[in-house]
Amino acid sequence: MALTADQLISAQKANLETLFGLTTKAFEGVEKLVELNVTASKAALTEAAGTTQALLSVKDAQELLTLQASLYQPLAEKTAAYSRHLYDIAQGTGAEFTKAFEVKAAEAQQAFVGLVDSAAKNAPAGSETAVAVMKSAVAAANNAFESVQKAVKQASDVAEANFQAVQTTAVNAAKSTAQTATRKR
């Protein structure tokens, strides 16, 4: 089965549209990352000014310890929130690329299966065994590809769960540290 000029042009056009779409998504991800960093930087600068003012108004060591304890938890929570936003941006952008890859892989897979079927129909007499072996190899490759996709999805889910656990642990540790420091007053 030979590809016609229209089929080639159509495939090339679809590939270019996918490429431009992914490029747009990549730029959107970068824009979100820049926006997140600008917002975080502004907030950090404002908080640094406030913290400096509070430090300058401290009258004794007890007041300094109280101030220090009060800074632990908000810092951990803000760091966790920043990390969460960063992770969400990366995850969203990566998901777009994964989805596009899966669509293109499925299209290529279907085209290859169609090519194999067409070749099988036009195969000379006596080549049924070779055609059966080829179809079996294609089916095995498709199954292997699906298994890899499932494994990647499971690994991604585990990474997400681990990220959530680490984030929760960090915030809880900061709360505990702040509470301990406050009790020692």
Side-chain angles (χ1 to χ4, degrees), residues 144-160:
F145 181 71
E146 289 173 9
S147 295
V148 168
Q149 282 183 312
K150 287 177 185 175
V152 168
K153 172 74 170 113
Q154 287 173 344
S156 178
D157 291 347
V158 167
E160 168 76 16

Side-chain angles (χ1 to χ4, degrees), residues 50-66:
T51 301
T52 302
Q53 290 297 324
L55 285 171
L56 292 173
S57 68
V58 167
K59 307 230 184 317
D60 59 26
Q62 185 61 43
E63 204 173 323
L64 179 63
L65 288 174
T66 303

Side-chain angles (χ1 to χ4, degrees), residues 28-100:
E28 287 173 5
V30 170
E31 284 177 340
K32 289 177 184 176
L33 184 59
V34 168
E35 182 181 334
L36 173 64
N37 285 332
V38 166
T39 301
S41 296
K42 284 180 180 179
L45 188 59
T46 301
E47 289 170 19
T51 301
T52 302
Q53 290 297 324
L55 285 171
L56 292 173
S57 68
V58 167
K59 307 230 184 317
D60 59 26
Q62 185 61 43
E63 204 173 323
L64 179 63
L65 288 174
T66 303
L67 176 63
Q68 185 180 11
S70 72
L71 297 176
Y72 281 136
Q73 185 177 347
L75 179 62
E77 289 173 353
K78 288 172 188 158
T79 301
Y82 175 83
S83 296
R84 180 78 221 157
H85 286 311
L86 191 60
Y87 181 81
D88 288 344
I89 291 168
Q91 190 75 356
T93 303
E96 291 292 330
F97 279 84
T98 300
K99 185 169 69 174

